[in-house]
Amino acid sequence: MTSQAFRFCTAPMMDWSDTHCRVFHRLLTKRARLYTEMVTTGAIIHGDRHRLLGFDPAEHPVALQLGGSDPRDLATCAKIGEDFGYDEININVGCPSDRVKEGRFGACLMAEPQLVADCVAAMKAAVKVPVTVKCRIGIDDQDPEVALDALARAVVAAGVDALIVHARKAWLNGLSPKENRDIPPLDYDRVYRLKQAMPTVPIIINGGIKSIAEAKLHLAHVDGVMLGRAAYQDPWRLLDVDPELFGEERPYPTMKDALEALIPYIERQLAQGLRLHAITRHLIGAYQGVPGARAFRRYLSEFGVRPDADASVLLKAMVAVTDRASAEAA
């Protein structure tokens, strides 16, 4: 698998990057690699797999992120994910939440590089699709120069196909998960040095990247860039991914075109019993910064949550943007 496959990715985000979000994002970019929310091995082994792992074929290429630390369980779940059709299996070694720490997975695994390597080796033996790791540069009092190298060397020896690095430490003692997304300082140079030390390993950088312009700057040093909150809260940014990073045309010229293309998907989901809000909650930022964006958000927030809401709510919300934009332009 070439590093070009990882050139641009959207991050796995709990409660955000579900299948409806990913279908929307795929309409904005054909080339981005999309990641699921983290799903724990216990949930997959004991829970409703179709609810947890089902996705729309339009999402490809899409990667499944797993949370766990038992090599056998991860291998089992990696195989299940491959059988569901995922293009990649990723293991979470970066999430700093208390629940993750108590379960001995996520960022606390930065302290156990050999265990992570054992997990990667077991997953690699179980599947043919790429197996990747998403990590931090270190945790708590670890020296990032030592900790990141130790993890990277271990998982590369185990056959990892790519390493996605959130360029911040995670402070498991003293900071909340929300604070861990912002307070520890970013150290992009540390990730650049990892790439210099491992020129043949695809290295993807993550953390605090706010625009496609910033992504292009990072691509001078690493193989790929992963956007999280910027891609979710301001999804219009994704319209520039294909032309700016891959030299290809946008899938749809404008956000309006992309949202109209989402209507058939919405209608199919509603016919299966889904509530409209489960999809439109991901669209709130579609017109961020555009005249009429507030009217769009207000309309979706007010009418999209109603039990009988249908696809016409989105169409009417879009008219509100057009009407408001026209009024302000006049």
Side-chain angles (χ1 to χ4, degrees):
M1 186 173 196
T2 67
S3 59
Q4 185 77 0
F6 299 98
R7 185 169 175 81
F8 183 85
C9 312
T10 62
M13 295 176 287
M14 292 299 293
D15 300 321
W16 288 6
S17 55
D18 64 17
T19 186
H20 311 304
C21 173
R22 299 192 304 267
V23 167
F24 170 47
H25 286 179
R26 179 59 70 216
L27 292 172
L28 306 178
T29 164
K30 290 187 291 186
R31 296 301 301 270
R33 198 167 188 83
L34 308 179
Y35 284 72
T36 71
E37 305 170 88
M38 181 185 68
V39 187
T40 65
T41 54
I44 293 172
I45 292 170
H46 303 293
D48 182 342
R49 293 175 188 174
H50 286 278
R51 180 181 63 81
L52 293 166
L53 301 179
F55 67 95
D56 192 277
E59 296 176 39
H60 290 294
V62 58
L64 169 64
Q65 186 182 69
L66 296 176
S69 60
D70 182 279
R72 289 174 298 179
D73 287 351
L74 282 163
T76 297
C77 292
K79 179 58 178 169
I80 292 169
E82 182 182 53
D83 290 344
F84 263 80
Y86 283 95
D87 301 292
E88 171 195 336
I89 310 296
N90 177 268
I91 179 172
N92 185 318
V93 188
C95 182
S97 80
D98 293 338
R99 183 172 64 88
V100 165
K101 184 168 67 170
E102 290 168 4
R104 200 187 177 203
F105 55 91
C108 65
L109 290 175
M110 291 293 301
E112 301 186 74
Q114 188 53 54
L115 174 58
V116 179
D118 292 342
C119 293
V120 169
M123 294 161 73
K124 288 287 293 182
V127 300
K128 296 182 174 62
V129 296
V131 172
T132 63
V133 168
K134 187 173 189 293
C135 66
R136 295 277 184 139
I137 60 174
I139 55 171
D140 297 330
D141 293 323
Q142 284 185 329
D143 179 350
E145 296 299 326
V146 176
L148 184 57
D149 274 354
L151 182 77
R153 285 196 299 269
V155 298
V156 168
V160 79
D161 291 285
L163 194 61
I164 304 163
V165 186
H166 186 151
R168 282 189 176 96
K169 267 190 172 186
W171 286 94
L172 303 181
N173 297 306
L175 293 181
S176 70
K178 183 178 185 300
E179 290 170 330
N180 263 302
R181 292 195 294 266
D182 297 300
I183 292 177
L186 287 159
D187 189 353
Y188 295 135
D189 287 340
R190 177 65 191 93
V191 186
Y192 298 166
R193 290 194 295 277
L194 179 67
K195 178 59 189 176
Q196 292 168 355
M198 297 184 163
T200 63
V201 179
I203 304 293
I204 299 90
I205 198 166
N206 171 234
I209 303 166
K210 296 180 175 63
S211 68
I212 303 306
E214 286 183 33
K216 292 173 82 169
L217 295 176
H218 287 295
L219 287 169
H221 305 280
V222 292
D223 301 288
V225 174
M226 175 176 277
L227 255 66
R229 281 172 289 169
Y232 186 88
Q233 295 170 346
D234 302 326
W236 53 267
R237 296 182 187 280
L238 297 178
L239 284 169
D240 288 331
V241 168
D242 293 6
E244 293 293 326
L245 301 184
F246 296 93
E248 299 176 4
E249 291 185 356
R250 293 177 170 186
Y252 292 94
T254 67
M255 181 61 73
K256 179 177 183 289
D257 296 318
L259 290 175
E260 288 176 345
L262 186 63
I263 296 296
Y265 174 81
I266 292 175
E267 291 175 337
R268 290 196 303 273
Q269 292 296 316
L270 296 182
Q272 295 172 23
L274 191 75
R275 294 276 291 270
L276 180 68
H277 178 65
I279 300 175
T280 55
R281 73 186 185 95
H282 300 299
L283 313 181
I284 295 296
Y287 288 105
Q288 184 71 21
V290 172
R294 184 177 299 176
F296 176 80
R297 292 194 301 270
R298 185 184 301 121
Y299 197 93
L300 285 187
S301 297
E302 181 177 351
F303 296 99
V305 297
R306 297 185 177 184
D308 60 345
D310 60 21
S312 68
V313 170
L314 176 57
L315 293 171
K316 290 174 182 176
M318 292 162 62
V319 170
V321 176
T322 304
D323 289 348
R324 180 71 174 274
S326 298
E328 294 190 8

